[in-house]
Every structure is written in C-alpha cells, then in structure tokens.
Amino acid sequence: MNTFRFSEKSCESLPGLSVMERAFPGRFSADGVLLEFEAGRAQAGWDIQGPGGEAGFRVRYAAPCDAYRALGLLMAGDAPTGQDRACSLVGVMWDVSRNAVIRPEKWEEIFLRLALMGINSLQLYMEDVYEIPGEPFFGYGRGAYSAEELRGIDDAGRRLGIEVVPCIQTLGHLTQIEQWPPYHEMMDVPGVLMVDSERTRTLIGKMLDQVAACFRSRTIHIGMDEAHGIGTGNFLRKHGYERPFDILNRHLKMVTEMCLERGLAPMMWSDMYFRIGSARNDYYDREAVIPDEVAASVPPGVDLVYWDYYHGDVAFYEEWIQRHRALGKEPVFAPGGWNWGRFWAYEPKWRETLSAGMQAAHNQKLDRVFLTLWGDDGAEFHPASVFPAIQYFAEYAYVGNPDASALERQFAAIFPEVSLAGYLKASRLDEIPDAQGKPGCCPNPSKWILWHDPVLGFLNPQIPSDVSEHYRELAAALDHPGADEPLRFAAQVARAVALKAELHNTARSAWKVKNSAEMERLRDEVVPECVRALRGLRQAHQAAWMQWNKPFGWEVLERRYAGVIARVESLGALLDACLQNPAHHVSEWERDPLPILERPEDAYFTFAQAATPSAIK
C-alpha cells in the first residue's frame, strides 16, 4: 500500500490536506509518493500527471472538492488520468432537527469522509436547532447550535472544500416552537406560520440575520415544504378564504425579498406548488394542475428543489424535471438516502431510487444535485450507516453508473477500519426474506418489531414466522472479531429483534392451546434473554448517540427503551400468572389480531403506530 506526502505549497493552498494527514497517519510519511496539487484547471474536475512511483504525481484541479476526490482515488489505488465533474453542486443535506444534533466537533470527521468522495456542499437542516438572539424559546431544550458553534462548523467545512449551507424553515415544519407561549399566536395551522403577520416577518428576519452572520455561504435553503392546510386555520378565521396558491406566493415573495436584501440566494422545496394543484394533495399527482398565472408569479430570485425518494422509473423523474422546467425553473434534484424511520440506512431502496433518479438527472443535464439524509421519527439510525449511500450518490454525480469493485476499494480507503460489504449486509436489518428482490418495498421491520407492544401484539400478523431465524443469522454474521462499533450496534439490533419476534409469534398461541411447557420456556428463558438484549441495545445505542450527537434528544429514545423493556417484563408476569392459574383470564388475548396489509413485506410503521393502537401515545 502506497504512502503519500504533500508539497508545502499544496498544504498552503489546500488546508484540508493537513487534516487528512492527521486522520490517516498510516497513509502519509516523509518518504511517501509526492503529491503536488495545482489549481487552475478550466473544466470542473482534475487531471493527474507525472511519472508515478516515488517520483510522484501532479494533480491539477478546478476546485478543492476535485483535489480531495482525486486524493481519495489515489488512496484507493485508482489513479485515472483525469475526471470531469458533471455537476457544479454535489451536496449532502443532513437533518439535525429530529432529536439528533450532531456534535460540532464531529463535523470535521464527517467532512473529511465527504471530501474524499468529492462532496462540495453540506446543507445543515436545522428547523429550530440554532439559537436566535432575542428568541430564547427557539430551540429551547433541544441542543440548538450557538453562533460560535455554527461558525466552527462553517470553518471545518471550508478547510475541506465543503460549502456549508443553512437549511431552515420559513413557513412550515415549525411544530417544535409552537408548544412555547411566545409562538402560540403565530401559527395558522399546527406547525405552519401565519402569513401576512408582522410577528412572522420579524421572526423570519431574525432567522435570516442569524444564519447570514454565521455562514460564509450566500446560498440559503428556506424550506417552505409540506405546509399542509395553509390558509385554513387562523388565517381563514382572520382574513376569510383565499386561494392557497396566492397565500404561498405572497409569502414566498416576501421571504425571497428579505433574503435578497441580505445578499442571500434562496432555494426552496417545490412540493407545495404541486400539492396545492393536486386534488389529492399529492406531490406526484399526474393530474395536478398549476395555473399559468401561478407559475408566472414564482419569484425569479428563488430556485426550486425537486425532492423525490420513491420512484424506480427513470422516465418518471424525467417527467417531473420537465414539470419543474414548465414553472420557469431549472430544478435542483434531491434524492434520498433512506435512513429515516429505521436503525440502518436501507440499501435496496436507496440503490433503486438513486440509480433511477441520478440517471434521469444525467439524461436531463441537471447541474445541481444533493442527497438528503432525514431523521424522521426520532433519528434512531446509526449515522455511519449513511456513508455507502453517499458514496454511491457521489459516484453517480461524477461518473454515472458506479463500478462495484471501484466502490469497494474507495470505501476501504476512506473507511480503512470497515468494509463496504459489511455495511451493506447490515442493511438486511430491514431486508427480511419476504422483501428481498421485490422492487418498491421499503419496510422497517427491525424498528417496528422492536418497539411493538408484546402483550397486545396487534401487529403480529405482519411478522413472518421465519423472521427470528433471519435476525439470529444476521446477528452472527455482523458480530465478528473484525466488526467495528456500528456493525456491532447493528448486530445488537438483530439480536434483540430476533428474541422480540419470537415472543410475538409464540406467546399468544402457546396460551391459546394451554401449552404450559412452551409458556414456561418463554417465561424462564426467552423473556429474560430478550430483556438483557434490549438493555444491551440501549447501552450500545446510547454510546453511539453520545459519540455522534449532543445529549439532547436521547431522552426520547431512552423512554422508548424503558417502555418496551417494561412491556416485555409485563409479558413475563402475564405468562407467570397463566402458569400459576391455567384459568387466568387474559383480556388482551381474547381476540386474534387482524391482518392490516395485503403484503406484510410492505410493513412500515412509526414508533407511535407500533407501540400502541391508542391515540394517546
């Protein structure tokens, strides 16, 4: 394996090279192959020239991201003579607003990995988790970033050629602040700001002032998505009915002007235009109609972001790109990493949708793309699980259809402590046998079986009979001597779910046929082992959380663990009562649970849906 060294001039022009040396001490040495980096390539991308060997290479690059990507390829042993970058923006959007606020000091490590893949932009999706002077309840108790922390994150990205872009919300997705008295009167419907309110304008002005002062980037993402019910709540009571298109456009015009006044170039999610034009409130409704006058009134100073995480058909993406162009905009394309609502990013779905979406982006010659990493429903996923999806996305952005062997080599160079194959295997946490090879499936069984109430068992018909064996085999495959911490975490998830699924599939049936031996086995062996596995998982999850995130938000997951452990213990007590008294009446098991889905392999449930059928969560 080659080691490298950098010329002094290269380190001066690319400060991230010094970060690389510290992060990969085994790859750099005083007698390593000399790498000289020289800016000035006209076309986006890089050229690698030189005799090679100890005599070294000269890397001519257009932008820092090109230089760092070239370094990543050299570290992997792949040294093409050059490569053009097809897109000016190759970005990642990372959600830090759904419980998990990444520790400020952790970002440099993340940026390091992203830079070696060629990522040049990080959109920091924050909602309320950034402090605003004069607004003490904005992000209160949620680990909001201070101005100093935001500037530090911006500095860390800049050192590695990554522009950090604030991604905020200026209309919807503000449910978190609504609970505090200062914001009670500011909402139209839950989580959606009241349009035409001076208080709303003042708050948005403070948002923009804060992020403009903390980030070098003059690009800003202003959100504006999923503002469901706009104009139908307090706005309707105060002003009467007005067409939602007009309310949205008026608010967007105001926010765009406020951005431009501060020298900021805004972009927004595009879905509200399509949803309002749809009779079904569906972003992807082919019957949606956006009136010409509405399209014409979209402010010229704002870009539209087309987000789509769901489709496996290249033609669909191309059609929606054209629909965005019909609004007079060249869209920014945002696919998804499928890490939300689960413990590990789901490779079958991100591969399916990225392949189709990025191929369409190439076909349509889109210049700006970024991958979204959401934390919906508690951000339970292990952050390291997203890196294979990011690398796959980056390869598509640079070279088109990725080469599997090249991906493996590059991943090993960027993450020398793990293998790409191991991380992809961990995705089988949600790729149970019934779902394997079925396009369109996106189940999350490892999550919902783990949190599912073991006494009520109201979702039991959706649990395949052979799923426990699947998880036992997966736990054994992941937890090997060379496994790193993320893979050991995934193995612990599999271990706990295997036992939990066994309880769901056997306890009620054993009681129904009065199988005392089976109930005794469950009470004495499986229940205690399941409780131990859940406690072990809680500890592993907490350790990973505290390594990556601020402590705020962990209380949400800790309550989930405490609840499910208590309910498994309650199941044990119930089995004991039945064994002590065969005539013991179990109201919860009088009726068999009902099948909910025609295809159990499609089962995707949130924590609240799995924990209880009650509306009181």
Side-chain angles (χ1 to χ4, degrees):
M1 180 186 296
N2 283 333
T3 60
F4 301 97
R5 59 190 172 95
F6 305 124
S7 68
E8 185 176 340
K9 183 179 178 181
S10 295
C11 290
E12 290 175 357
S13 60
L14 293 169
L17 295 178
S18 298
V19 181
M20 303 288 181
E21 288 178 323
R22 293 193 301 271
F24 300 98
R27 298 307 309 272
F28 301 97
S29 65
D31 59 352
V33 175
L34 177 65
L35 297 180
E36 293 193 90
F37 291 87
E38 178 184 302
R41 189 180 195 263
Q43 173 69 26
W46 70 90
D47 300 311
I48 298 179
Q49 300 174 345
E54 293 183 2
F57 297 93
R58 181 170 66 90
V59 181
R60 193 165 57 96
Y61 63 92
C65 66
D66 301 315
Y68 296 126
R69 178 173 168 83
L71 175 60
L73 290 172
L74 286 164
M75 289 170 62
D78 295 331
T81 57
Q83 192 174 85
D84 292 335
R85 172 163 42 91
C87 301
S88 63
L89 170 66
V90 183
V92 169
M93 188 230 73
W94 201 302
D95 178 3
V96 295
S97 68
R98 268 55 175 262
N99 279 353
V101 182
I102 299 289
R103 290 182 179 274
E105 65 273 17
K106 192 70 175 177
W107 279 111
E108 183 168 83
E109 179 185 333
I110 296 171
F111 289 144
L112 172 81
R113 315 290 182 167
L114 300 184
L116 289 170
M117 297 178 189
I119 300 298
N120 62 13
S121 175
L122 186 283
Q123 293 205 3
L124 196 60
Y125 181 80
M126 296 184 288
E127 290 187 359
D128 67 320
V129 291
Y130 58 103
E131 294 179 358
I132 296 178
E135 299 289 339
F137 285 96
F138 196 88
Y140 175 63
R142 299 241 298 141
Y145 288 125
S146 67
E148 181 181 3
E149 289 173 330
L150 291 177
R151 292 189 181 100
I153 295 169
D154 190 59
D155 289 342
R158 183 177 177 84
R159 280 193 294 274
L160 287 154
I162 294 174
E163 178 185 17
V164 183
V165 175
C167 188
I168 65 173
Q169 287 290 352
T170 57
L171 181 59
H173 278 289
L174 290 170
T175 307
Q176 289 290 343
I177 68 171
E178 187 178 6
Q179 62 187 311
W180 307 119
Y183 305 107
H184 286 173
E185 304 302 321
M186 288 188 62
M187 301 296 164
D188 175 6
V189 293
V192 179
L193 292 173
M194 183 78 160
V195 174
D196 297 338
S197 161
E198 188 57 36
R199 179 73 177 94
T200 293
R201 181 184 179 90
T202 299
L203 178 62
I204 293 173
K206 290 181 178 181
M207 294 177 182
L208 299 178
D209 288 339
Q210 181 70 347
V211 296
C214 294
F215 296 95
R216 293 178 179 86
S217 176
R218 295 299 88 186
T219 299
I220 183 172
H221 199 311
I222 58 174
M224 307 280 284
D225 61 311
E226 298 182 327
H228 304 304
I230 184 173
T232 63
N234 289 326
F235 184 95
L236 178 65
R237 285 186 283 275
K238 183 175 181 179
H239 301 291
Y241 176 77
E242 187 174 356
R243 192 171 61 161
F245 273 130
D246 298 327
I247 302 172
L248 177 67
N249 263 353
R250 187 166 64 251
H251 185 71
L252 176 58
K253 183 174 184 293
M254 180 196 77
V255 176
T256 301
E257 290 173 351
M258 294 175 73
C259 289
L260 297 177
E261 289 168 2
R262 293 162 172 81
L264 300 173
M267 62 174 65
M268 64 173 285
W269 309 109
S270 68
D271 60 288
M272 283 305 294
Y273 282 104
F274 292 85
R275 290 180 190 277
I276 294 174
S278 166
R280 306 194 306 269
N281 190 38
D282 181 3
Y283 189 11
Y284 310 111
D285 180 4
R286 282 192 161 99
E287 305 302 318
V289 176
I290 301 174
D292 291 342
E293 72 273 15
V294 172
S297 65
V298 179
V302 64
D303 286 325
L304 296 182
V305 180
Y306 163 39
W307 59 267
D308 194 333
Y309 319 140
Y310 305 107
H311 297 96
D313 179 8
V314 174
F316 185 93
Y317 290 96
E318 292 189 336
E319 177 184 346
W320 246 250
I321 290 168
Q322 293 298 337
R323 285 175 179 251
H324 281 76
R325 286 173 171 161
L327 292 174
K329 300 288 185 179
E330 186 67 4
V332 182
F333 178 55
W338 279 91
N339 57 301
W340 53 88
R342 58 190 73 244
F343 288 104
W344 197 268
Y346 188 50
E347 182 259 343
K349 195 63 176 178
W350 61 247
R351 186 181 294 273
E352 175 193 1
T353 56
L354 279 177
S355 297
M358 291 301 290
Q359 184 60 57
H362 271 293
N363 294 348
Q364 295 296 313
K365 296 181 169 33
L366 293 187
D367 186 49
R368 294 171 295 171
V369 293
F370 65 84
L371 180 69
T372 61
L373 305 172
W374 295 103
D376 296 44
D377 200 29
E380 294 151 327
F381 70 99
H382 197 296
S385 72
V386 304
F387 287 117
I390 297 173
Q391 188 188 17
Y392 193 77
F393 161 78
E395 294 307 300
Y396 250 111
Y398 276 87
V399 300
N401 194 20
D403 175 78
S405 61
L407 282 174
E408 183 73 42
R409 291 192 300 274
Q410 292 162 26
F411 196 84
I414 298 171
F415 302 91
E417 65 279 10
V418 299
S419 73
L420 178 60
Y423 272 40
L424 296 181
K425 182 177 290 183
S427 182
R428 293 179 60 202
L429 281 172
D430 289 328
E431 193 183 12
I432 57 176
D434 286 356
Q436 288 175 8
K438 294 184 178 179
C441 283
C442 53
N444 63 345
S446 67
K447 170 172 175 154
W448 73 259
I449 293 174
L450 187 87
W451 300 134
H452 184 34
D453 189 284
V455 176
L456 299 181
F458 55 94
L459 297 178
N460 283 359
Q462 277 63 236
I463 302 177
S465 59
D466 60 349
V467 78
S468 290
E469 186 59 29
H470 165 77
Y471 283 112
R472 287 190 188 93
E473 292 175 355
L474 182 60
L478 295 176
D479 197 0
H480 55 81
D484 67 339
E485 176 271 324
L487 287 182
R488 291 195 301 272
F489 166 81
Q492 188 65 25
V493 173
R495 203 171 287 119
V497 175
L499 292 160
K500 187 85 178 343
E502 182 179 358
L503 291 173
H504 283 285
N505 283 335
T506 57
R508 183 192 297 254
S509 57
W511 171 79
K512 286 182 68 175
V513 299
K514 306 304 180 185
N515 186 338
S516 298
E518 177 68 353
M519 288 193 288
E520 188 172 337
R521 184 187 73 86
L522 295 175
R523 181 196 63 183
D524 296 343
E525 298 177 21
V526 182
V527 166
E529 190 178 354
C530 185
V531 169
R532 285 193 295 271
L534 288 167
R535 286 176 175 158
L537 176 57
R538 186 196 69 78
Q539 292 171 356
H541 203 163
Q542 184 175 24
W545 185 280
M546 297 307 172
Q547 179 189 356
W548 286 81
N549 305 315
K550 292 185 177 186
F552 305 92
W554 172 249
E555 77 282 356
V556 173
L557 301 192
E558 191 156 53
R559 288 190 181 95
R560 293 183 183 181
Y561 281 110
V564 73
I565 289 170
R567 291 300 284 169
V568 171
E569 291 175 336
S570 292
L571 175 62
L574 182 59
L575 289 169
D576 183 66
C578 294
L579 287 166
Q580 296 300 323
N581 177 14
H584 181 75
H585 180 67
V586 184
S587 299
E588 299 95 325
W589 291 349
E590 282 183 336
R591 297 184 180 180
D592 289 336
L594 302 174
I596 296 173
L597 303 171
E598 291 185 7
R599 299 198 326 167
E601 63 268 23
D602 287 335
Y604 178 100
F605 297 109
T606 65
F607 165 78
Q609 291 170 324
T612 172
S614 174
I616 302 173
K617 307 301 183 186

